[in-house]
Amino acid sequence: MALQWYPGHMNKAKNQVQDRLKLVDIVLEIVDARLPFSSRNPVLEQIIDQKKHIIILNKSDLADPKVTKDWKINFQQEGTNSIELDAKHNKGLGQIKSLIRSELSDKIERYESNGVKNYQIKAMCIGIPNVGKSTILNRLVGKNVAVTGNKPGVTKNQNWLKTNIGIDLLDTPGILWPKIDDPKVGMKLALSGAIKDKIYAPDDVAIYALNFLETHYMDQLQEAYGLTNTDIFNHTTPELLMNLTNKFGYKDDYDRASRRIIDDVRKLKLGRLTFDIPGEFYEE
């Protein structure tokens, strides 16, 4: 599933991010802990390449904890520090300030040696839609200053926010990139809810999800839907979807069954899952 779009507000936001980078000391890149690779915007990566930045693995409560640890090691080996966060339940936020100050320690010491006390750090917060960026901002500010929603495209403007950790944050809209060429990345973004549901065919995403679960999370798949080895190994993945449709009592309504599988994944009915695996090769 290759997807292509470029809404005007996303293009404008990308240009504004580029223009305002000079105003900040560091960039906080929010990604979905279930998709540490697929939820990173390659356009933004190019823009912030020369700026210090931290990767925040949000929604860690939804992700496979073992794979999250592997991703943190992977990012560190690439030269970028990361932290795992569950902003919805206010877990892990205390790490942000200490990690930011650690990243900027040389700059802070330089200002302090010149007589500047309590240097006010300025950070930019970026991320694609639906990674929980607004929830993080609201937690850091201590009140609802950013609109939240479990759907893409909520934040539209860029705003400076005062936080309760002594850091000024520049919020930015969630920005998707112009074209997603890798079908697997498109499937994963759709499965997580980063792409509006009306853009993709639910049976395509459900079949992708079932195939991935068969490979990486067989036990959870079997337990969630009461499947035997025969149910899985004697059928193709599309046939498995058809069998589950009947099992759910939906007759031939494959779209309804597909939407249920997608919802089950999002609502943890199959447990904590991560759909990006470190070291996995992606199509060009």
Side-chain angles (χ1 to χ4, degrees), residues 5-276:
W5 59 76
Y6 216 169
H9 76 271
M10 287 188 178
N11 187 31
K12 179 181 177 182
K14 177 186 75 75
N15 293 333
Q16 287 179 337
V17 166
Q18 195 161 17
D19 291 341
R20 295 193 179 189
L21 265 180
K22 60 182 178 292
L23 303 177
V24 303
D25 303 297
I26 193 166
V27 175
L28 308 182
E29 182 185 4
I30 317 298
V31 302
D32 188 325
R34 298 168 296 175
L35 306 170
F37 177 92
S38 299
S39 62
R40 297 187 73 188
N41 185 334
V43 174
L44 292 180
E45 282 186 75
Q46 294 169 11
I47 292 173
I48 67 172
D49 186 45
Q50 301 304 316
K51 182 70 69 171
K52 283 186 177 292
H53 85 287
I54 295 167
I55 295 173
I56 297 177
L57 296 150
N58 193 32
K59 302 191 179 184
S60 62
D61 57 313
L62 308 180
D64 183 331
K66 181 183 180 301
V67 184
T68 298
K69 287 184 174 64
D70 292 340
W71 271 109
K72 290 175 70 178
I73 294 169
N74 182 85
F75 288 135
Q76 191 170 36
Q77 290 173 341
E78 292 177 354
T80 305
N81 283 321
S82 62
I83 57 173
E84 53 188 284
L85 194 68
D86 172 10
K88 183 177 180 180
H89 301 104
N90 207 11
K91 294 180 180 178
L93 284 160
Q95 304 174 66
I96 295 178
K97 180 178 180 178
S98 58
L99 188 52
I100 288 174
R101 292 190 68 85
S102 175
E103 288 286 322
L104 297 174
S105 58
D106 291 345
K107 185 171 189 175
I108 294 170
E109 288 174 11
R110 190 165 62 249
Y111 271 96
E112 289 179 348
S113 66
N114 290 324
V116 178
K117 294 182 179 180
N118 300 319
Y119 175 69
Q120 189 72 13
I121 296 170
K122 293 180 173 59
M124 178 183 287
C125 197
I126 65 170
I128 70 168
N130 207 42
V131 293
K133 183 164 59 66
S134 294
T135 302
I136 291 174
L137 292 171
N138 288 338
R139 294 291 191 189
L140 291 176
V141 174
K143 58 183 178 180
N144 293 333
V145 293
V147 180
T148 62
N150 189 27
K151 60 180 180 179
V154 174
T155 308
K156 292 291 190 293
N157 301 309
Q158 298 194 21
N159 303 297
W160 281 106
L161 304 170
K162 291 276 185 188
T163 71
N164 52 24
I165 60 172
I167 294 168
D168 290 342
L169 271 179
L170 179 61
D171 184 19
T172 63
I175 308 170
L176 281 167
W177 50 107
K179 184 178 181 182
I180 300 173
D181 293 307
D182 186 336
K184 289 184 290 185
V185 170
M187 293 292 181
K188 293 173 185 181
L189 291 172
L191 191 58
S192 75
I195 296 171
K196 292 179 180 178
D197 290 340
K198 63 183 179 182
I199 291 177
Y200 60 83
D203 58 329
D204 287 342
V205 178
I207 288 171
Y208 171 80
L210 290 172
N211 185 59
F212 185 90
L213 291 164
E214 288 172 357
T215 303
H216 296 282
Y217 294 100
M218 177 68 80
D219 291 344
Q220 287 98 310
L221 176 61
Q222 289 182 294
E223 183 177 350
Y225 298 127
L227 300 173
T228 65
N229 289 340
T230 301
D231 291 326
I232 293 174
F233 295 119
N234 288 2
H235 299 90
T236 64
T237 309
E239 287 172 338
L240 176 59
L241 174 59
M242 290 188 281
N243 292 342
L244 284 172
T245 302
N246 293 327
K247 193 179 185 71
F248 296 156
Y250 297 161
K251 295 185 179 180
D252 295 329
D253 194 344
Y254 304 121
D255 278 356
R256 184 182 176 191
S258 298
R259 285 191 293 271
R260 172 172 169 175
I261 292 167
I262 294 167
D263 286 342
D264 286 349
V265 168
R266 293 176 181 173
K267 295 176 180 177
L268 297 186
K269 297 291 178 64
L270 290 98
R272 295 169 65 176
L273 309 171
T274 298
F275 286 91
D276 283 341

